[in-house]
Amino acid sequence: MEPILLDLTPAVDPDPRLHEVRTTDADPALPADHRRLICLRLHWEAARDDAPFVHPAEVIAALATDDVCWTRDDLIWSLRVLAGETGRDDGSPWRLPAIIGAALPPEELHDLVPAFEAVLDAVKTSYLAVRVRHSLSQAYGAVLDRIDPGGPGHVLPADDVFDAAVQESLRPLLTDAGTRAVLRHAESLAKPVPAKGWLRRADELRGTAGVVTPLLERFCAYQGSVGEDTDLLVRGLIWFAARDPGSTPLLARVAVRAATASSEVRAPRTAAAAVEILADRAGDAPVRALVRLALTVRSKPLLARVRAAVERIETARGWATGEALELGIDDHSLDAQRRRWLVPGSILVEVVDGKARLVVMRDGRPLKRVPADVDVTEARALVKEITRTLAAERDRVESLLSQERSWAWADWVARYLDHPLTGAVAGCLIWQSSVDGSSWRAGIPRREADGGWRLVDEAGDQFEAVGGLVRLWHPALAGPGEVARWRDHIGVEELRQPFKQAFREVYPLTPAEASSRTSSRRFAGHILRYRQANALMRTRGWAASYLGTWDQGHRTEASKDLGGGEWRALLAHEAAGEADYQVVYCMLGEVRFTRRAGEAWQDAPLTEVPARVFSEAMRDVDLFVGVTSIAADEAWQDRGTTPFRAYRESAGFGALTASAEVRRDVLARLLPRLSIGPRCELTERYLRVRGQRGTYRIHLGSANILIEPDDTYLCIVPDQKRKPAVHLPFDDDRVLSLILSKAVLLAADDTITDPTIVPQLPAGRGPDDPEQCQSPPTPTPTPTPTPTPTRAWRWWRQRQ
């Protein structure tokens, strides 16, 4: 801690016996004057960090009882000692001045206010543990209250959300003794849920609690981070506010603000307490706030608390599992056309094609740019909020693909089609309806002129199932013919789905997996770039401890709950290569499934796992391989000889996975409509592109490129920000976009000027050369020497 500069006199010891006393003889039974000397001596030693006790503050507190007669010189000397270096970080050097200040008459302390304020500011901005800092702040604040009962109270945190400007604006409230009592009681709350005694005292102080709402409003309006002291104070304040039944909207806003931040939770203690309060409140505001947190919070402890609160609400209100998430989606006050005018006729926020946008109008016409004299701060914040809600809804609705969930027609229309934001996601998806619950018919929603909703099947015929049931269509439960017809329909109509559905990869259980009983090794042995893989796992909702070089840190399992929380998929993976004590690569292992059995989980045979659950889990694992495998690393050729070269050559140009097969199907439908179509040909594994200088084969799984006829590897590092100007039926396949970008580039290879690509291109033969139109047989890869293999590498080779 930094030393405090205090200009106080005298600087001499208050008692000549001070340095003769032995602190090791400390005993509460000693005479009061002897205990006074020991306390002074301990204070001096604690400031020099050479006190003989582990916790000298505890010894000082035990000795400094009410019978000790302190003097003003004792106080001035103890404050002066703080001007030196204070090495201890447990708060011991700061205890005694607060104890003496609380014991002396206030009239002896008036000229010491600047010194106490300096100490208090130093304490509040220190790096002491929050519990210690909190206790010291209260002690010094209480001393200042005794000196000046009409002062600001000194209870608000320093250099935080409640800064000098805030304190100045609230000064009329803070000068009231009752208000300071409220704030001190709020700070004293030690747990997310207070005890009955704390609540009784809060009720006694409610008559002077006028400061609570203004401070909570300022907390909600503040955009920056807050410290632990502010977090503690606001946690107590929301329990004050909770005593008022009409405070629910304010508490909901506090919960969202406390839990929302760019990375970690802004105020974790406040967020946890707010969740507990909202779980027992009536009305829609608590549900909307908790649902928003359930869809956006990334902190595991807080997310678990939020989900438990949502389950409590569902149980208390008699709702089905997951129903609160549907009923609590915030509509952000958008109308039926998914619009909201912030300034009538001038500033508009709307949702178009599943995206929120800001429109500034003038004379009834939209402007291309926002004029400098138009304030759109609120509108841009609303666009950001709507975008966040849309992303959360997209993820939530996609998670329904693993669930056996159905809705009554009227409930489905109200929750999924008429809702302005959920409807932007659900309106482009394929749903199934049934009148009798046994025969199902699939269609895409369409609103009719009479305001009602109908479903349109792949042939364009309309139908409805009023009074029947509706569920989300999954290709794993449909036949190949039906899936092909839906893909044709979406391509012809140029529909864009918010996520892959018609073109979704399907992973049926194989005979080998069925015979293995409880685990699948379909993706075992793949080598992934670990940091990217771990980040992608978390993005897709998989929880995993981080691999490391510490003991037992070489292997772990990632897990994801599916099927509405009734099933859990587990993906084993282990370290396969380290550098600088960091795991660089990992190798995938088996995938297995467990089923919920009360509070426990039990291993389940693969044959008993629902097709939806199995397919969705394996699709995620395939995504991890497709995006983060070293086989898709464009710059791998520059790494020289590595123990993984054989794996990369095998995986980077090998048989197609389910995701690559879907990619091939999409390309087969797109290429005839593209200008480069006549120069392209789809083979079993490749998209073959004839350029002006040569012919190229782009692998449909990894997007790696080979140059014919000798299969020379062509390295093209893609521009991550650039996307092909081609209509795709979905946006979540980066490899497909990469393949199309490379195909467009190579079809006009004579126009390439990039100095990193041109030297790799062939000298050039005419595009009409018959040899360029033939696909030579795939040569056998030339074996390359490898260094001493790692344990993970030997494991992979044994599987081949």
Side-chain angles (χ1 to χ4, degrees):
M1 182 180 294
E2 294 295 329
I4 303 173
L5 301 180
L6 299 177
D7 186 14
L8 298 173
T9 56
V12 296
D13 296 340
D15 193 305
R17 300 170 296 165
L18 175 62
H19 296 286
E20 299 176 3
V21 69
R22 295 175 56 183
T23 57
T24 54
D25 295 335
D27 188 339
L30 291 171
D33 187 57
H34 196 172
R35 284 185 275 120
R36 166 182 164 270
L37 290 175
I38 293 178
C39 288
L40 293 172
R41 173 73 181 189
L42 278 174
H43 175 67
W44 181 76
E45 292 178 346
R48 293 163 52 90
D49 197 23
D50 56 3
F53 299 98
V54 177
H55 299 294
E58 297 177 2
V59 181
I60 292 174
L63 298 178
T65 54
D66 292 340
D67 60 336
V68 177
C69 295
W70 302 103
T71 68
R72 175 181 164 86
D73 286 347
D74 291 340
L75 175 59
I76 293 176
W77 176 85
S78 65
L79 287 170
R80 191 69 177 84
V81 167
L82 294 179
E85 292 290 339
T86 54
R88 300 184 67 91
D89 59 0
D90 61 355
S92 297
W94 310 85
R95 294 292 178 184
L96 189 60
I99 293 174
I100 301 176
L104 292 177
E107 55 269 17
E108 295 186 22
L109 306 177
H110 284 289
D111 60 330
L112 298 179
V113 167
F116 277 109
E117 289 182 338
V119 175
L120 180 59
D121 288 341
V123 167
K124 287 184 174 181
T125 57
S126 70
Y127 292 100
L128 294 170
V130 61
R131 179 182 56 83
V132 176
R133 187 172 64 248
H134 184 67
S135 173
L136 289 171
S137 297
Q138 284 194 310
Y140 279 97
V143 173
L144 287 166
D145 282 348
R146 293 182 68 242
I147 301 173
D148 183 10
H154 307 284
V155 292
L156 296 181
D159 194 26
D160 203 342
V161 53
F162 304 111
D163 55 13
V166 175
Q167 294 204 38
E168 184 65 28
S169 64
L170 296 177
R171 186 172 295 276
L173 289 172
L174 298 178
T175 56
D176 178 67
T179 296
R180 295 201 299 274
V182 169
L183 297 178
R184 296 209 182 284
H185 188 59
E187 282 187 318
S188 69
L189 181 60
K191 297 181 179 180
V193 179
K196 293 181 179 180
W198 191 97
L199 292 175
R200 281 195 299 269
R201 177 58 178 161
D203 289 336
E204 294 172 0
L205 295 171
R206 283 184 63 190
T208 57
V211 73
V212 172
T213 298
L215 283 176
L216 292 181
E217 291 286 0
R218 291 187 179 278
F219 176 81
C220 292
Y222 183 66
Q223 299 297 320
S225 60
V226 299
E228 293 175 298
D229 297 293
T230 296
D231 192 8
L232 285 169
L233 175 63
V234 177
R235 178 175 70 178
L237 291 176
I238 63 174
W239 278 105
F240 267 98
R243 310 307 284 172
D244 178 9
S247 64
T248 299
L250 174 60
L251 293 172
R253 288 191 288 122
V254 171
V256 173
R257 177 58 62 192
T260 305
S262 58
S263 55
E264 297 297 323
V265 178
R266 176 177 279 110
R269 294 174 178 84
T270 299
V275 167
E276 294 298 325
I277 294 172
L278 292 175
D280 297 322
R281 309 286 278 199
D284 295 335
V287 179
R288 285 196 296 269
L290 291 174
V291 167
R292 177 174 177 179
L293 298 182
L295 298 175
T296 58
V297 166
R298 292 293 178 262
S299 167
K300 288 183 181 180
L302 181 58
L303 183 59
R305 188 182 292 270
V306 170
R307 288 175 175 171
V310 171
E311 291 177 3
R312 281 164 56 189
I313 288 180
E314 290 175 339
T315 301
R317 303 189 185 189
W319 292 347
T321 302
E323 197 165 359
L325 297 179
E326 297 170 355
L327 297 173
I329 301 300
D330 193 350
D331 60 9
H332 297 284
S333 300
L334 298 177
D335 59 21
Q337 286 73 42
R338 300 179 185 134
R339 290 182 159 198
R340 176 178 168 186
W341 288 97
L342 278 77
V343 178
S346 177
I347 301 178
L348 170 70
V349 173
E350 62 180 354
V351 176
V352 179
D353 294 332
K355 297 180 181 179
R357 69 177 185 179
L358 165 65
V359 181
V360 177
M361 309 282 287
R362 183 162 291 176
D363 299 328
R365 301 179 62 182
L367 302 179
K368 292 183 178 179
R369 291 183 180 145
V370 178
D373 60 340
V374 178
D375 184 7
V376 293
T377 303
E378 181 183 359
R380 283 177 173 156
L382 179 60
V383 168
K384 187 176 180 180
E385 291 293 323
I386 293 175
T387 300
R388 186 181 293 115
T389 302
L390 283 170
E393 270 298 82
R394 175 192 176 279
D395 293 341
R396 184 187 71 83
V397 175
E398 186 178 16
S399 71
L400 295 174
L401 287 168
S402 71
Q403 302 181 32
E404 296 289 343
R405 183 84 186 276
S406 61
W407 301 262
W409 175 274
D411 290 340
W412 172 69
V413 169
R415 300 176 190 179
Y416 283 85
L417 300 185
D418 287 341
H419 192 283
L421 295 185
T422 307
V425 177
C428 301
L429 297 174
I430 306 169
W431 301 82
Q432 288 181 302
S433 68
S434 173
V435 176
D436 57 10
S438 58
S439 59
W440 297 84
R441 186 178 180 185
I444 293 179
R446 177 183 295 173
R447 186 184 287 278
E448 297 304 311
D450 60 2
W453 288 94
R454 307 288 188 277
L455 291 176
V456 180
D457 64 17
E458 67 270 31
D461 297 330
Q462 295 186 14
F463 64 98
E464 64 179 4
V466 177
L469 298 175
V470 181
R471 70 183 184 186
L472 190 59
W473 180 86
H474 196 297
L477 305 180
E482 182 182 356
V483 173
R485 291 192 298 272
W486 273 116
R487 291 178 179 179
D488 290 337
H489 177 81
I490 288 176
V492 170
E493 298 293 331
E494 292 193 349
L495 300 177
R496 186 185 296 274
Q497 296 191 296
F499 51 80
K500 280 186 180 181
Q501 189 191 26
F503 287 89
R504 200 171 192 82
E505 303 86 353
V506 175
Y507 300 81
L509 189 68
T510 65
E513 289 168 333
S515 64
S516 68
R517 187 168 167 71
T518 60
S519 64
S520 167
R521 300 186 62 81
R522 185 182 304 199
F523 296 102
H526 280 280
I527 309 297
L528 312 185
R529 301 186 301 275
Y530 179 59
R531 292 186 63 183
Q532 292 90 336
N534 182 266
L536 184 56
M537 288 178 188
R538 295 178 185 275
T539 299
R540 293 294 301 170
W542 292 71
S545 57
Y546 208 80
L547 292 174
T549 56
W550 50 85
D551 187 31
Q552 304 299 321
H554 69 283
R555 191 178 190 277
T556 188
E557 276 189 325
S559 64
K560 180 178 182 178
D561 291 351
L562 298 162
E566 295 301 314
W567 290 88
R568 176 172 290 175
L570 299 112
L571 170 63
H573 53 289
E574 69 171 33
E578 298 90 21
D580 298 328
Y581 302 102
Q582 298 290 326
V583 176
V584 180
Y585 306 111
C586 71
M587 177 186 293
L588 296 186
E590 64 184 19
V591 178
R592 59 189 184 90
F593 292 82
T594 58
R595 178 168 37 201
R596 184 183 292 277
E599 296 297 325
W601 294 88
Q602 294 181 348
D603 288 337
L606 297 183
T607 53
E608 297 180 10
V609 179
R612 287 174 176 261
V613 172
F614 184 84
S615 187
E616 289 301 301
M618 303 306 282
R619 179 180 184 271
D620 272 358
V621 181
D622 194 2
L623 175 67
F624 304 153
V625 173
V627 175
T628 68
S629 169
I630 62 173
D633 188 345
E634 294 286 346
W636 190 266
Q637 293 297 114
D638 299 331
R639 298 180 185 268
T641 301
T642 74
F644 303 132
R645 179 175 294 276
Y647 160 76
R648 185 179 185 277
E649 292 177 351
S650 172
F653 301 98
L656 301 186
T657 62
S659 59
E661 291 286 0
V662 170
R663 214 168 283 138
R664 188 181 187 283
D665 189 15
V666 175
L667 288 170
R669 300 167 192 276
L670 285 177
L671 288 175
R673 303 198 305 242
L674 301 181
S675 59
I676 64 170
R679 290 187 167 273
C680 297
E681 173 191 359
L682 276 173
T683 64
E684 182 181 357
R685 300 182 184 180
Y686 297 91
L687 172 62
R688 192 164 179 265
V689 182
R690 291 187 296 114
Q692 297 293 341
R693 301 181 60 168
T695 301
Y696 313 89
R697 290 189 296 161
I698 308 174
H699 191 262
L700 300 177
S702 62
N704 291 331
I705 306 171
L706 298 176
I707 305 175
E708 295 184 357
D710 54 356
D711 282 354
T712 303
Y713 179 78
L714 174 59
C715 176
I716 298 179
V717 179
D719 182 354
Q720 301 293 342
K721 298 181 180 179
R722 188 174 182 180
K723 295 183 179 181
V726 178
H727 173 81
L728 298 176
F730 45 80
D731 289 328
D732 54 354
D733 191 338
R734 185 188 68 87
V735 178
L736 176 60
S737 299
L738 186 59
I739 290 173
L740 286 170
S741 297
K742 290 182 176 181
V744 172
L745 178 69
L746 295 174
D749 57 357
D750 58 328
T751 64
I752 297 175
T753 58
D754 191 315
T756 65
I757 300 177
V758 171
Q760 303 179 68
L761 298 178
R765 286 187 290 182
D768 298 325
D769 190 325
E771 292 186 12
Q772 294 283 58
C773 301
Q774 298 176 6
S775 298
T778 302
T780 302
T782 303
T784 55
T786 61
T788 303
T790 64
R791 179 172 59 86
W793 171 248
R794 288 195 297 269
W795 180 31
W796 182 82
R797 287 300 298 170
Q798 290 170 0
R799 293 182 52 261
Q800 306 308 306

